[in-house]
Amino acid sequence: MLINETRRGFWCECWTQDLTDQEQPAVLRASFDAYSAPQADRWVAVTLRTISPALDSDASDVAWAWLSQGRIATRRALLRSEPCAVTVTRDCTRITWTIRPVLFLSLAHRQDAKPLACMDRFESRPSP
Protein backbone atom coordinates (compact mmCIF):
# COMPACT_ATOMS: atom_id res chain seq x y z
CA MET A 1 0.00 0.00 0.00
CA LEU A 2 1.50 3.33 -1.04
CA ILE A 3 1.34 6.31 1.27
CA ASN A 4 1.50 9.91 0.06
CA GLU A 5 3.17 11.70 2.94
CA THR A 6 6.56 12.78 4.19
CA ARG A 7 7.82 12.73 7.73
CA ARG A 8 10.56 14.87 9.22
CA GLY A 9 13.38 13.07 10.91
CA PHE A 10 17.13 12.57 11.05
CA TRP A 11 19.46 10.28 9.13
CA CYS A 12 22.25 9.07 11.41
CA GLU A 13 25.44 7.36 10.27
CA CYS A 14 28.59 6.00 11.88
CA TRP A 15 31.75 6.08 9.75
CA THR A 16 35.26 4.83 10.48
CA GLN A 17 38.48 5.75 8.75
CA ASP A 18 41.92 4.20 9.01
CA LEU A 19 44.25 7.17 9.47
CA THR A 20 47.34 5.20 8.45
CA ASP A 21 45.98 4.78 4.92
CA GLN A 22 44.61 8.10 3.64
CA GLU A 23 43.86 6.51 0.26
CA GLN A 24 41.22 4.25 1.77
CA PRO A 25 37.80 5.91 2.00
CA ALA A 26 35.83 6.04 5.20
CA VAL A 27 33.65 2.99 5.79
CA LEU A 28 30.01 3.18 6.74
CA ARG A 29 29.53 0.99 9.84
CA ALA A 30 25.95 1.73 10.80
CA SER A 31 22.97 3.89 9.96
CA PHE A 32 19.78 4.72 11.77
CA ASP A 33 16.60 6.58 10.94
CA ALA A 34 15.48 8.72 13.87
CA TYR A 35 12.18 10.53 14.05
CA SER A 36 13.12 13.07 16.73
CA ALA A 37 16.19 15.02 17.87
CA PRO A 38 16.30 13.16 21.22
CA GLN A 39 16.19 9.80 19.43
CA ALA A 40 19.02 10.85 17.09
CA ASP A 41 21.42 12.11 19.75
CA ARG A 42 20.53 9.16 22.01
CA TRP A 43 21.77 6.80 19.27
CA VAL A 44 25.19 8.47 19.38
CA ALA A 45 25.20 8.66 23.19
CA VAL A 46 24.45 4.96 23.65
CA THR A 47 27.17 4.02 21.19
CA LEU A 48 29.74 6.31 22.82
CA ARG A 49 28.96 4.95 26.27
CA THR A 50 29.24 1.41 24.93
CA ILE A 51 32.67 1.87 23.34
CA SER A 52 34.15 4.25 25.93
CA PRO A 53 35.87 1.47 27.95
CA ALA A 54 37.84 0.54 24.80
CA LEU A 55 39.00 4.11 24.11
CA ASP A 56 42.36 5.51 25.16
CA SER A 57 42.31 8.34 27.70
CA ASP A 58 42.33 11.16 25.11
CA ALA A 59 39.48 9.66 23.07
CA SER A 60 37.58 8.86 26.25
CA ASP A 61 37.92 12.49 27.36
CA VAL A 62 36.49 13.64 24.01
CA ALA A 63 33.63 11.15 24.27
CA TRP A 64 32.70 12.11 27.82
CA ALA A 65 33.01 15.83 27.05
CA TRP A 66 30.43 15.37 24.29
CA LEU A 67 28.22 13.25 26.55
CA SER A 68 28.29 15.85 29.32
CA GLN A 69 28.30 19.15 27.39
CA GLY A 70 28.43 18.66 23.63
CA ARG A 71 25.25 16.64 23.55
CA ILE A 72 23.29 19.71 24.66
CA ALA A 73 24.68 21.75 21.77
CA THR A 74 24.00 18.87 19.38
CA ARG A 75 20.38 18.61 20.51
CA ARG A 76 19.87 22.37 20.10
CA ALA A 77 21.36 22.28 16.60
CA LEU A 78 19.14 19.35 15.64
CA LEU A 79 16.07 21.19 16.90
CA ARG A 80 17.09 24.02 14.52
CA SER A 81 17.36 21.40 11.73
CA GLU A 82 21.13 21.76 11.46
CA PRO A 83 23.39 18.79 10.68
CA CYS A 84 25.81 17.65 13.39
CA ALA A 85 28.84 15.43 13.73
CA VAL A 86 30.71 13.86 16.63
CA THR A 87 34.22 12.50 16.12
CA VAL A 88 36.60 10.54 18.34
CA THR A 89 39.97 9.14 17.37
CA ARG A 90 41.43 6.00 18.90
CA ASP A 91 44.96 5.11 17.88
CA CYS A 92 44.80 5.18 14.08
CA THR A 93 41.03 5.00 13.70
CA ARG A 94 38.72 7.98 13.38
CA ILE A 95 35.07 7.30 14.25
CA THR A 96 32.53 9.88 13.14
CA TRP A 97 28.80 9.96 13.80
CA THR A 98 26.79 12.25 11.56
CA ILE A 99 23.20 13.36 12.02
CA ARG A 100 21.36 15.17 9.22
CA PRO A 101 17.79 16.43 9.08
CA VAL A 102 15.82 14.69 6.35
CA LEU A 103 12.33 14.17 5.01
CA PHE A 104 11.45 10.49 4.98
CA LEU A 105 9.30 9.48 2.05
CA SER A 106 6.75 6.88 3.02
CA LEU A 107 6.50 4.91 -0.18
CA ALA A 108 5.19 1.63 1.14
CA HIS A 109 4.53 -0.10 4.43
CA ARG A 110 7.46 -2.15 5.66
CA GLN A 111 5.26 -4.40 7.77
CA ASP A 112 5.13 -7.96 6.51
CA ALA A 113 7.33 -6.97 3.58
CA LYS A 114 9.97 -9.39 2.37
CA PRO A 115 13.38 -7.98 1.41
CA LEU A 116 13.94 -7.62 -2.30
CA ALA A 117 15.98 -10.36 -3.94
CA CYS A 118 18.66 -7.84 -4.92
CA MET A 119 19.23 -6.60 -1.35
CA ASP A 120 22.29 -8.83 -0.86
CA ARG A 121 24.04 -6.99 -3.71
CA PHE A 122 23.72 -3.55 -2.08
CA GLU A 123 26.99 -1.86 -1.19
CA SER A 124 27.02 1.48 0.57
CA ARG A 125 29.22 4.25 -0.76
CA PRO A 126 31.15 6.76 1.32
CA SER A 127 29.43 10.09 1.65
CA PRO A 128 31.04 12.90 -0.35
Side-chain angles (χ1 to χ4, degrees), residues 58-111:
D58 290 341
S60 183
D61 289 346
V62 170
W64 285 103
W66 182 84
L67 286 164
S68 63
Q69 297 298 319
R71 187 173 178 189
I72 297 165
T74 296
R75 174 87 55 97
R76 287 181 181 148
L78 294 175
L79 291 171
R80 292 188 305 267
S81 295
E82 297 172 359
C84 299
V86 179
T87 300
V88 296
T89 303
R90 180 187 183 270
D91 296 330
C92 298
T93 303
R94 178 183 301 135
I95 307 167
T96 302
W97 292 267
T98 60
I99 306 171
R100 291 186 294 266
V102 295
L103 287 175
F104 291 109
L105 302 175
S106 299
L107 300 177
H109 285 293
R110 288 196 277 184
Q111 297 171 341

Side-chain angles (χ1 to χ4, degrees), residues 46-55 63 88 90 95 97:
V46 167
T47 307
L48 273 176
R49 283 190 193 107
T50 302
I51 69 167
S52 67
L55 299 175
V88 296
R90 180 187 183 270
I95 307 167
W97 292 267

Side-chain angles (χ1 to χ4, degrees), residues 20-41:
T20 62
D21 189 355
Q22 292 295 325
E23 300 214 2
Q24 289 293 323
V27 177
L28 178 65
R29 297 295 177 183
S31 60
F32 178 70
D33 49 331
Y35 292 94
S36 68
Q39 187 181 27
D41 78 64

